[in-house]
């Protein structure tokens, strides 16, 4: 697990709170944390747990994963997925039901593509004992067409 990047997390939380038009006291109350504790988080003096981040995310109506990335808890490689989710969840022009449907569709596409990629990789992995027939490989055929034929 990465170390917490508390300064950036605090700045990010403050910005999200301001965008949500919440006072420090209102957010603290909604998240179930004390006003001084939230202030210390925003100033980068405290390292909140994943549970506290989840409570703050819920109160701010953003994804907890977004806060986990900001805190350095969630791996940076997952940032694209997290940002996509955050954009969907933050869009004020669609309602909660529509957001959930979009996220379900997004998840199904990601799972389908991951499955397809895994199936493709397994079919072309010599370690699996699956013989790869280059004659059926379009890229291989195209490359061979460009080579001069010798007999």
């Amino acid at each position: 697990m990465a170390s917490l990047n508390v300064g950036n997390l605090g700045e990010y939380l403050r910005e999200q709170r301001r965008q949500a038009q919440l006072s420090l006291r209102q957010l603290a109350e909604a998240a179930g944390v004390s006003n001084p504790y939230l202030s210390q988080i925003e100033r980068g003096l405290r390292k909140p747990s994943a549970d506290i981040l989840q409570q703050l995310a819920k109160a701010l109506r953003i994804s907890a994963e977004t806060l986990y990335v900001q805190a350095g808890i969630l791996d940076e490689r997952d940032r694209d997925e997290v940002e996509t989710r955050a954009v969907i969840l933050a869009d004020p022009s669609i309602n909660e039901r529509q957001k959930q449907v979009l996220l379900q569709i997004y998840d199904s596409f990601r799972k389908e593509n991951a499955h397809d990629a895994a199936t493709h990789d397994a079919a072309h992995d010599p370690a699996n004992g699956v013989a790869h027939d280059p004659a059926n490989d379009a890229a291989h055929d195209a490359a061979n067409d460009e080579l001069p034929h010798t007999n």
Side-chain angles (χ1 to χ4, degrees):
M1 177 167 33
S3 64
L4 292 178
N5 190 354
V6 186
N8 288 344
L9 172 64
E11 293 168 18
Y12 182 79
L13 274 172
R14 182 179 295 117
E15 181 59 32
Q16 292 300 310
R17 177 176 59 79
R18 288 178 177 161
Q19 285 182 7
Q21 298 180 340
L22 293 172
S23 69
L24 191 71
R25 177 169 279 118
Q26 289 170 322
L27 177 57
E29 186 177 312
V33 299
S34 73
N35 196 32
Y37 182 63
L38 179 57
S39 175
Q40 290 172 347
I41 293 171
E42 283 192 358
R43 290 182 287 138
L45 302 175
R46 291 289 196 147
K47 298 178 181 181
S49 69
D51 288 339
I52 296 296
L53 290 173
Q54 188 171 22
Q55 290 170 231
L56 289 167
K58 185 176 180 182
L60 289 167
R61 302 187 76 155
I62 61 174
S63 72
E65 291 85 0
T66 301
L67 291 184
Y68 297 159
V69 169
Q70 288 295 320
I73 294 172
L74 188 61
D75 195 318
E76 190 71 25
R77 291 173 293 183
D78 299 326
R79 181 178 282 280
D80 287 342
E81 178 185 354
V82 169
E83 287 177 349
T84 301
R85 292 176 174 284
V87 167
I88 292 170
L89 291 170
D91 189 336
S93 67
I94 56 177
N95 65 39
E96 290 303 313
R97 184 188 62 77
Q98 292 167 330
K99 291 175 185 180
Q100 292 308 311
V101 169
L102 274 174
L103 290 173
Q104 289 171 354
I105 292 168
Y106 177 69
D107 286 340
S108 71
F109 283 151
R110 287 183 54 84
K111 287 177 187 171
E112 179 182 326
N113 291 343
H115 178 270
D116 289 350
T119 303
H120 180 267
D121 290 347
H124 293 89
D125 186 358
N128 288 339
V130 176
H132 178 184
D133 182 3
N136 292 330
D137 187 341
H140 180 79
D141 290 346
N144 281 342
D145 288 343
E146 295 177 12
L147 295 175
H149 293 282
T150 57
N151 287 342

